[in-house]
Amino acid sequence: MNKLLRNAGFVLFTSLAAIFAPLAWSQLVPGNAYPSRPIRILVGFSPGSTTDIMARLVAQKMNETWGQPVVVDNRASGGGILASSFVASANPDGHTLLSVSAGHAVSAALYSKLPYDTLRDFAGISLIATVPSILVVAPSSGVKSVKDLVTLARSKPGAFNYSSPGIGSANHLAGELFKSLAKIDVTHVPFKGIPEALTAPLQGSVLFNLSPIVNVMPLAKSGKLTALATSTGKRAAGMPELPTIAEAGVPGYVFDPWFGMLTTAKTPRAVMTSLNREVLRTLELPDVKTRLLALGAEPTPTTPAQFDAHIKAEVSKFTKIVKDGNIRVD
């Protein structure tokens, strides 16, 4: 009898194990219980930067949805390279994310050696938004259109300058692309930030500047600067009266400054799906749309594969601009 009970017990145990083992195992498979601990979003720039603002918008909504703390970690050093290095080597479980701008692709074009591979060491979650740059001049320049600007610059090769917030910045490359496609000979003058770069045309030290719409709008509306056109492939929602630079006389010009979210390469597909779904849900929320519009930003949701392809194309584009402009930083 005891032997019979022992055999029955063994059969029952093995049957229950067969039933519940897959369930127990599933809890160990990444993505089934995601997130299982706090999420950290690294930002390679200071608090208040556009990259930081984008990260905090997403972090707040993730926290509300998943009930796990989502912390924004600012590591403002090396133009975002320090933060990128940390995420590139993080555990690929989706709990360490990276908020990036177009500068992430610019760095790949500028630096011959980085502590990570821009295309292999990261997995795209989604683009978040594009923020148009606006081409501006001082009212005192007498320039009223892009064609006026090009005509003036061509009339005196080498006599004029343009400003940016630093060598290798996205705005610098936007200026180099304009210089190349417009076939003008102008000199780049770097400043330490966007406010200083925008002040330069007012002071007469440079002829033109390309800066984010959120920085330009107050100065343009007050008449301190003349806005000529937007850098993007379509008109900016924040200043729809402006033509694109391509429409205004420089065919082929498109420069779409963008912001997005990455994580470590080899993160499980289920986790990537959860992250992408949450970012896309966030971008549909009315309060988020309102906040982005106030920044002059336009939501740009994508799939992970689309974002990866976008970064690859951007690296290729920026590499050509850097080579054509003979831009060196290392």
Side-chain angles (χ1 to χ4, degrees):
M1 177 65 70
N2 288 339
K3 184 176 181 181
L4 182 62
L5 289 174
R6 285 198 300 272
N7 288 341
F10 178 76
V11 171
L12 177 62
F13 174 79
T14 54
S15 298
L16 290 172
I19 293 170
F20 289 107
L23 178 61
W25 173 250
S26 71
Q27 301 305 311
L28 300 177
V29 177
N32 288 319
Y34 178 83
S36 60
R37 63 177 187 276
I39 295 171
R40 182 159 43 155
I41 303 177
L42 274 81
V43 179
F45 303 91
S46 59
S49 63
T50 306
T51 311
D52 174 75
I53 292 170
M54 298 295 176
R56 292 180 190 277
L57 280 174
V58 174
Q60 178 188 349
K61 301 305 178 182
M62 281 183 172
N63 185 51
E64 293 172 1
T65 300
W66 287 328
Q68 286 282 1
V70 183
V71 180
V72 174
D73 183 353
N74 295 89
R75 302 200 177 192
S77 179
I81 293 174
L82 178 64
S84 296
S85 299
F86 187 91
V87 176
S89 59
N91 187 21
D93 59 8
H95 290 84
T96 307
L97 312 181
L98 179 66
S99 181
V100 295
S101 68
H104 181 71
V106 170
S107 292
L110 279 173
Y111 296 97
S112 58
K113 293 182 180 179
L114 287 171
Y116 52 81
D117 187 296
T118 303
L119 300 181
R120 289 202 303 263
D121 291 342
F122 302 94
I125 297 170
S126 176
L127 272 171
I128 294 175
T130 55
V131 180
S133 285
I134 306 298
L135 179 63
V136 297
V137 296
S140 60
S141 68
V143 171
K144 302 294 184 184
S145 67
V146 173
K147 288 184 177 180
D148 286 349
L149 175 59
V150 172
T151 298
L152 178 60
R154 286 178 179 173
S155 70
K156 297 179 180 179
F160 298 106
N161 305 324
Y162 77 93
S163 60
S164 88
I167 296 174
S169 65
N171 302 88
H172 176 198
L173 268 64
E176 285 298 308
L177 182 61
F178 181 76
K179 172 182 173 180
S180 173
L181 293 178
K183 296 179 174 57
I184 57 176
D185 180 10
V186 291
T187 302
H188 172 238
V189 179
F191 288 81
K192 68 177 183 179
I194 288 174
E196 294 82 3
L198 273 172
T199 299
L202 293 173
Q203 296 175 334
S205 59
V206 304
L207 176 59
F208 68 89
N209 170 267
L210 277 149
S211 282
I213 188 171
V214 64
N215 302 101
V216 168
M217 277 196 292
L219 295 169
K221 291 184 183 298
S222 66
K224 293 181 179 179
L225 286 174
T226 299
L228 302 179
T230 177
S231 70
T232 47
K234 62 180 182 179
R235 295 197 177 203
M239 300 182 78
E241 71 280 7
L242 295 180
T244 67
I245 291 176
E247 287 177 330
V250 184
Y253 187 96
V254 178
F255 197 95
D256 284 311
W258 50 265
F259 298 85
M261 193 76 69
L262 302 170
T263 189
T264 314
K266 299 182 180 179
T267 298
R269 184 186 297 272
V271 173
M272 295 299 299
T273 298
S274 294
L275 285 165
N276 177 260
R277 185 187 301 120
E278 181 60 15
V279 171
L280 268 55
R281 184 193 71 84
T282 295
L283 295 179
E284 286 297 320
L285 297 173
D287 60 324
V288 172
K289 287 183 176 181
T290 299
R291 184 72 187 279
L292 289 174
L293 185 61
L295 293 170
E298 300 179 29
T300 316
T302 66
T303 66
Q306 287 170 336
F307 190 23
D308 285 336
H310 181 72
I311 292 174
K312 184 177 181 179
E314 289 287 275
V315 170
S316 178
K317 180 178 77 174
F318 293 143
T319 298
K320 184 178 187 307
I321 295 172
V322 167
K323 182 179 179 180
D324 291 348
N326 194 31
I327 301 169
R328 299 178 182 276
V329 293
D330 65 352

